[in-house]
Amino acid sequence: MYDSPTICLLLAILLEVCLQSAPSISRWIARVYCGSCYVADQIPILASSLKVLSVVDDFAKYAKITRQLQQLKEQSSAHDRRVWKCSLWVLVPLYVILVLVSIRYAVLMRTMVAFRLPVNLVSPIGAVLAFPAGGEEGTVSMWWWLAASRHILRTGVSAIRGG
C-alpha cells in the first residue's frame, strides 16, 4: 500500500509536529491538572479600582486594596510556579519518548534505501548519500532522506510561524 519512504516521511512529519507542539501540550495538561487560577482574573479588577482612588482622600481603602492586590499577585505567582513544575513533569517524559522513537526509527531505517537517482546526477557525493545503507552509488539512504525532510519541515514551520 505505502512504500517505506512514504511511511518514514509521514513519521518524520508526525514527530516534527509533536516536537513543535510539546510545550503547548504540557502547559495545557498542567493547567488542567493544577486548575485555573481565578486570582489572575481578580488582579486587573483590583488594579483598575486602585487607579480611581486617591491616596490622600481614601488612604484606608487604598491601603486595603493594595494589600489585597499584593496577596493576589503572590498567589498568582505561586500558582504559576505549580503550573510550571507540572508542565515539566509532562514535557520531559514527552521529549524522552520522542527521542527514543526517533532513535528507534533511525536505527531501523539505517539500511533502507529511500530511492535511486541517476549516477551522473549524484556523482560527486553519491557515496555519501548512500552511506548508512551501503547501497551502490546513485542510491539515497533513508537516513539522508529523513534528515532532509526534517530540515524542510522545520524551515516550513518556522516560515509559517513568521520567525
Side-chain angles (χ1 to χ4, degrees), residues 13-122:
I13 291 171
L14 179 67
L15 285 174
E16 192 62 36
V17 168
C18 289
L19 284 172
Q20 294 291 331
S21 60
S24 302
I25 292 169
S26 70
R27 280 194 302 271
W28 179 78
I29 290 173
R31 292 216 183 268
V32 167
Y33 179 72
C34 293
S36 63
C37 186
Y38 72 93
V39 175
D41 300 334
Q42 299 294 326
I43 290 175
I45 296 169
L46 282 178
S48 64
S49 67
L50 197 62
K51 290 179 183 177
V52 182
L53 293 176
S54 170
V55 179
V56 177
D57 296 337
D58 298 320
F59 180 73
K61 195 172 187 180
Y62 187 87
K64 181 180 177 185
I65 292 176
T66 304
R67 285 192 301 273
Q68 287 176 347
L69 189 60
Q70 187 62 32
Q71 282 180 337
L72 289 177
K73 285 182 180 178
E74 288 173 4
Q75 289 175 0
S76 177
S77 67
H79 182 266
D80 288 344
R81 283 192 300 273
R82 279 196 311 274
V83 167
W84 182 75
K85 286 180 183 177
C86 289
S87 69
L88 276 182
W89 280 104
V90 173
L91 189 63
V92 170
L94 189 59
Y95 273 129
V96 167
I97 289 169
L98 289 174
V99 165
L100 290 176
V101 167
S102 298
I103 291 171
R104 173 76 172 146
Y105 283 110
V107 168
L108 285 176
M109 302 300 167
R110 76 183 184 281
T111 59
M112 292 185 71
V113 174
F115 52 88
R116 298 184 195 298
L117 294 173
V119 178
N120 59 355
L121 186 66
V122 293

